[in-house]
Amino acid sequence: MSTEPSGVVVVGSINADLVVTLERHPQPGETLLGRTMTVMPGGKGANQAVAAAKLGARTVMIGAVGQDTYTEIALSGLHDAGVDTGAVQRVAGISTGVAIVEVDDDGENTIVVIPGANAEVTPELVAASSQVIADAAVLVLQGEIPAASVTAAVGVARGRVIINLAPVITLDRSTLLQADPLVVNEHEGALVLEQLTGSASGASEPSVASDHAATARALVDCGFASVVMTLGGSGALLASATDLLEIPAPKVPVVDTTGAGDAFTGALAARLSAGDSLPDAVRVAVLVGAYAVGTEGAQPSYPSLDDPLPAAPETTADSLTGARSFTGQDPAA
Ligand code: RIB
């Protein structure tokens, strides 16, 4: 593994995705015929690392795989993208993480993850890479490894910490609040808020629960320096103590949404490590997420630096991607 300081360090999951395409998702108890089955590299951590590396960030992956049929396919995207995998442990006697991904004709997916070796991303494994983590400009974490390992990684970080709490796991409050930003979709955001406040809206009025902006603001009120809420085809919200930005996504044909959120988070990390302000990084991440829904799979759908991103919507107050500030002022970078 390289000893040079890294732009982006991802501590997280590495999977092989068994991607099944089918007309529609089955009901409980129903058997359907699918169309195709393809095995691809995946895992939220690996996806984010690949997305960051393809956008030019020097990227290190810290994680674990088994020694089985799926090991090489799970690592292949990381290798192809030039991610440093020297800190990825190959654990004997356990299977590589696997995800069963079903994608219907509307591009919507369901995903079942068998963690396998991702459960072996222990605090000790993290501690073995503490210098690399400390040197990272941006550390990226998700919810597919043990919570204690997320805490261990955040504990040694000296750079910016992005926590994409997908899926939502229970982290201790002080660890979670180190996220700047916390990246969640609207469902995850409501769950995190419930964890922190006991209420899905953070307010006494139940109707506020449907208001994404209110949820993002309520999360900031819990103590996050910044919160990015991804809204699928609608773009993203960026909330901080002083501001709230709505960043719309371009309208694009949707083939497969798998891993689009990971492309977003990886792009965010890459741009932050390159020195962008947080609003500028979110603007690029929205376009990268839109690009990623255009082809099948997670990592194979991510853009490289040479790939033209979709144009930002025109309703914009701003020439880069169209951020609209509710208060007329960008949040602090
Ligand atoms: O976010 C998409 C990813 O979730 C897939 O690649 C799958 O492996 C699961 O981790």
Side-chain angles (χ1 to χ4, degrees), residues 147-315:
S149 307
V150 174
T151 298
V154 170
V156 292
R158 290 199 300 248
R160 188 162 204 151
V161 174
I162 298 176
I163 301 181
N164 171 219
L165 208 58
V168 175
I169 56 173
T170 303
L171 295 179
D172 64 86
R173 191 183 183 99
S174 62
T175 296
L176 188 54
L177 291 179
Q178 294 303 309
D180 179 17
L182 172 75
V183 179
V184 284
N185 66 25
E186 62 265 47
H187 310 293
E188 294 153 358
L191 284 171
V192 174
L193 193 55
E194 204 163 351
Q195 270 188 15
L196 293 174
T197 67
S199 156
S201 67
S204 50
E205 290 297 320
S207 60
V208 182
S210 61
D211 184 339
H212 306 321
T215 302
R217 281 188 198 278
L219 284 166
V220 169
D221 289 345
C222 290
F224 289 103
S226 61
V227 172
V228 173
M229 183 176 287
T230 57
L231 301 172
S234 298
L237 287 172
L238 167 57
S240 71
T242 55
D243 233 327
L244 184 67
L245 285 176
E246 179 190 4
I247 299 160
K251 297 293 167 221
V252 291
V254 176
V255 174
D256 180 3
T257 58
T258 307
D262 303 330
F264 179 102
T265 301
L268 188 68
R271 292 313 312 162
L272 288 172
S273 75
D276 279 7
S277 68
L278 183 54
D280 282 350
V282 175
R283 289 171 193 135
V284 175
V286 164
L287 300 184
V288 170
Y291 183 101
V293 303
T295 44
E296 195 181 309
Q299 294 170 30
S301 70
Y302 296 171
S304 297
L305 281 176
D306 294 342
D307 292 317
L309 297 178
E314 284 202 7
T315 53

